[in-house]
Amino acid sequence: MSVRALWIISYERGESVAVRFSRRYPTVEQRAKCMAGSLYVSVPEDGTVLQLLLTELGLSDSDKPYMALRDDCLHQQRSPALELHVEGPSGGVLWPMLVISQGPLILACLAVVDAPADPRPPLASLFSVSQGLTLLAGLQAFLCGSGSKPDREGLTSRLAMMPSILLQICPLGTPLDIPQPGASSASAMPTPAGTQKQPAWKTGVHRGRAVVNVALTEMVRSMQYGNRNRQDLWDVYGTVTCKCEVEGVLPNVTVTLTLPPNGSPLMDVLVHPCVSSLDASVLTAMSVEDCDSSSFSGPYKFPFSPPLEPFRLCSYTSQVPVPPILGTYQLKDDDNQLRITVSLKLHESVRNSFEYCEAHLPFFNRDQMGSVDVKVSSGQLEVSKEKNLLVWVLGQKFPKSREVSLEGSVSFSGELPGPTDPLCTDLTAYIKLYFRVPDLTLSGCCVDQHSVQVYSSAKPRIVTSRELLSSEYFIWNSTGTAPVSSGHMML
């Protein structure tokens, strides 16, 4: 998504109206011209844009009793995407002109439509509209500060910072970020350091305390059936996210991932484009192929020159022998009530220390729950306000046996019907687990903060973390039919 031009207008009744700031992007304009072809309408001068905007917003020519273009009920604005009707030999309609107005400021930008202009695509289908509005809202918050009406001196100083702000958050007309309220001109101004040439993709340099943050997150998915005729499935995929606040135009950083001696090699490794070099064997290991003992098992070194914003350094999959929590779920229908039996067991290789752990038991295509006579061996049981969901809060630890159970019956005698689901009919039902285990990964993969190397003028503070999260972790009722997947779960 890109913008062809951007305007900041000051408007206050009884005072002069003026374009306080404008920015045009010739490269984006050329792209818009190529895409529009014969339907292309060039962006007029700022003064013309100002008058067209005021007319479309109903803020001009207030002394005239009626203007069809301004006052006709067919032109009442119900969305922030306006049409500007440009007159003249090269005239036409500029659309979508996105506008946000607050207090004495009007912010507008003309977005590029990456779709054929005729017929006009639906507004809701255009990603450029949501991105453009996000950009304008961020600029509005930056210019207005905490109040709805900025003071004159503060507004003047912030407007003076707009060239450097836009260089960082919207380089070459492509929005990448929004400005942070309270940003100073010193932090906003991109000042290249040393004699290195600043690349076009990096729009600024960090100034301040040096910090490198590396976070490793592994997600585990599972489909368990409790049936010998159906194979349980699970998979693990991980991501490494970095935020590098390091001085210098092109600082060099190396992050190393390590595995335990008996750990399975990482598979399906994908890296960010900023990674400068990588062992070819790292990229050739695929989960769809049989893993052998000769596969590369680390350490995995990722040298890179980081961008300013947080980014995903790499992602991977890993093959682990067992899921972290094994479970069985049984339902029996007995005179408009269900008898429920659930057992969960935490595997011995998983640290028994959760930030949270919950088991959700939804019931579809039935009336609301009436009486609930269910006992749990550990934790506590809650009934949702809608009376269609049991929430088993297991807390932060399993008992010493690492096994918990739930047993009882639920009747469905509520006055209102519960939610429907075309899949979960009759005894087709599931438990969904939600949990987070800090400082743990199933693959054993970790980032040692002492292995993070930073080649910069200032020694940074290194912060590393890892965690295990559940994702689509299902345990299906073994007495009912359940969807069966074959092969790998990874999409």
Side-chain angles (χ1 to χ4, degrees):
M1 176 266 165
S2 301
V3 297
R4 296 165 61 180
L6 182 144
W7 297 268
I8 299 175
I9 300 168
S10 63
Y11 175 85
E12 200 160 5
R13 295 188 181 277
E15 298 186 9
S16 60
V17 182
V19 177
R20 300 290 298 273
F21 177 84
S22 66
R23 173 59 52 89
R24 297 167 186 253
Y25 297 97
T27 55
V28 180
E29 189 68 18
Q30 183 64 30
R31 180 155 62 92
K33 184 176 182 179
C34 293
M35 288 190 297
S38 60
L39 299 177
Y40 169 74
V41 178
S42 62
V43 181
E45 297 297 324
D46 288 350
T48 304
V49 172
L50 175 62
Q51 291 303 319
L52 292 174
L53 274 175
L54 294 178
T55 299
E56 193 68 24
L57 293 172
L59 301 175
S60 66
D61 302 319
S62 58
D63 56 323
K64 296 184 179 180
Y66 176 80
M67 286 183 60
L69 187 60
R70 182 192 69 191
D71 302 322
D72 194 293
C73 63
L74 296 178
H75 293 89
Q76 292 298 315
Q77 290 302 325
R78 293 180 175 86
S79 79
L82 309 181
E83 289 184 354
L84 298 189
H85 298 265
V86 182
E87 300 178 352
S90 59
V93 176
L94 290 176
W95 181 88
M97 179 68 77
L98 307 177
V99 180
I100 288 182
S101 177
Q102 178 177 342
L105 291 181
I106 300 173
L107 287 80
C109 71
L110 181 61
V112 171
V113 178
D114 294 320
D118 190 18
R120 180 178 291 179
L123 195 65
S125 68
L126 297 178
F127 180 63
S128 59
V129 172
S130 59
Q131 285 285 78
L133 291 174
T134 301
L135 173 66
L136 293 181
L139 291 175
Q140 179 189 61
F142 171 75
L143 292 170
C144 295
S146 58
S148 61
K149 184 176 181 180
D151 60 279
R152 291 181 180 272
E153 293 183 0
L155 178 61
T156 301
S157 64
R158 293 187 182 100
L159 286 171
M161 295 166 57
M162 288 305 299
S164 58
I165 289 290
L166 287 177
L167 183 62
Q168 293 192 60
I169 67 171
C170 190
L172 303 177
T174 301
L176 299 178
D177 200 354
I178 59 174
Q180 299 300 319
S184 64
S185 58
S187 63
M189 185 66 68
T191 55
T195 58
Q196 287 179 302
K197 184 178 180 181
Q198 185 164 330
W201 57 265
K202 191 166 186 177
T203 57
V205 295
H206 173 73
R207 300 179 65 86
R209 187 177 182 182
V211 179
V212 174
N213 195 311
V214 184
L216 193 161
T217 301
E218 278 192 356
M219 310 283 285
V220 56
R221 300 187 295 184
S222 182
M223 295 275 280
Q224 300 179 31
Y225 301 102
N227 191 322
R228 293 182 178 179
N229 298 324
R230 297 175 181 175
Q231 181 183 5
D232 294 343
L233 299 173
W234 61 91
D235 61 17
V236 174
Y237 60 99
T239 59
V240 179
T241 305
C242 296
K243 170 64 174 175
C244 300
E245 299 175 333
V246 184
E247 290 188 352
V249 176
L250 288 173
N252 292 316
V253 180
T254 299
V255 171
T256 303
L257 304 182
T258 57
L259 293 172
N262 59 345
S264 298
L266 303 184
M267 303 289 184
D268 309 308
V269 177
L270 299 175
V271 300
H272 191 274
C274 70
V275 175
S276 57
S277 63
L278 196 64
D279 193 316
S281 59
V282 174
L283 300 176
T284 55
M286 306 292 290
S287 60
V288 294
E289 301 174 354
D290 292 333
C291 180
D292 55 55
S293 58
S294 62
S295 298
F296 183 77
S297 58
Y300 300 82
K301 292 183 177 292
F302 299 91
F304 58 93
S305 180
L308 292 177
E309 67 276 2
F311 68 100
R312 178 181 293 183
L313 175 64
C314 69
S315 63
Y316 63 86
T317 67
S318 179
Q319 298 177 358
V320 297
V322 291
I325 298 178
L326 292 167
T328 59
Y329 182 26
Q330 291 184 343
L331 289 178
K332 294 183 179 179
D333 204 342
D334 185 11
D335 294 333
N336 199 33
Q337 71 174 7
L338 287 178
R339 295 192 178 276
I340 307 171
T341 304
V342 180
S343 65
L344 302 176
K345 182 177 181 179
L346 179 65
H347 193 266
E348 59 185 9
S349 64
V350 179
R351 180 187 298 110
N352 191 6
S353 178
F354 293 81
E355 182 174 301
Y356 58 84
C357 183
E358 295 182 356
H360 289 198
L361 289 73
F363 298 98
F364 299 100
N365 306 309
R366 300 176 183 273
D367 293 335
Q368 290 180 328
M369 286 185 285
S371 65
V372 177
D373 183 15
V374 177
K375 295 182 179 180
V376 295
S377 64
S378 179
Q380 59 185 16
L381 192 69
E382 299 176 356
V383 180
S384 68
K385 293 181 179 179
E386 295 78 12
K387 296 184 178 181
N388 55 33
L389 173 69
L390 294 180
V391 179
W392 186 7
V393 181
L394 293 163
Q396 297 180 333
K397 280 184 178 294
F398 275 60
K400 290 185 178 180
S401 63
R402 289 179 171 255
E403 296 184 19
V404 294
S405 62
L406 176 150
E407 191 171 357
S409 62
V410 177
S411 66
F412 298 88
S413 56
E415 298 180 357
L416 299 176
T420 60
D421 188 305
L423 181 63
C424 295
T425 58
D426 298 326
L427 291 180
T428 301
Y430 62 82
I431 299 173
K432 189 173 184 181
L433 296 185
Y434 299 85
F435 57 82
R436 178 181 183 271
V437 187
D439 197 27
L440 177 76
T441 54
L442 286 182
S443 67
C445 185
C446 67
V447 181
D448 184 0
Q449 66 179 32
H450 300 293
S451 69
V452 179
Q453 300 176 346
V454 181
Y455 303 94
S456 177
S457 57
K459 185 178 180 180
R461 182 169 66 95
I462 309 296
V463 180
T464 61
S465 63
R466 61 176 181 167
E467 63 179 356
L468 173 67
L469 291 174
S470 63
S471 172
E472 303 299 314
Y473 204 105
F474 292 98
I475 301 172
W476 289 89
N477 171 33
S478 60
T479 62
T481 58
V484 178
S485 176
S486 61
H488 294 267
M489 288 182 62
M490 189 62 61
L491 300 177

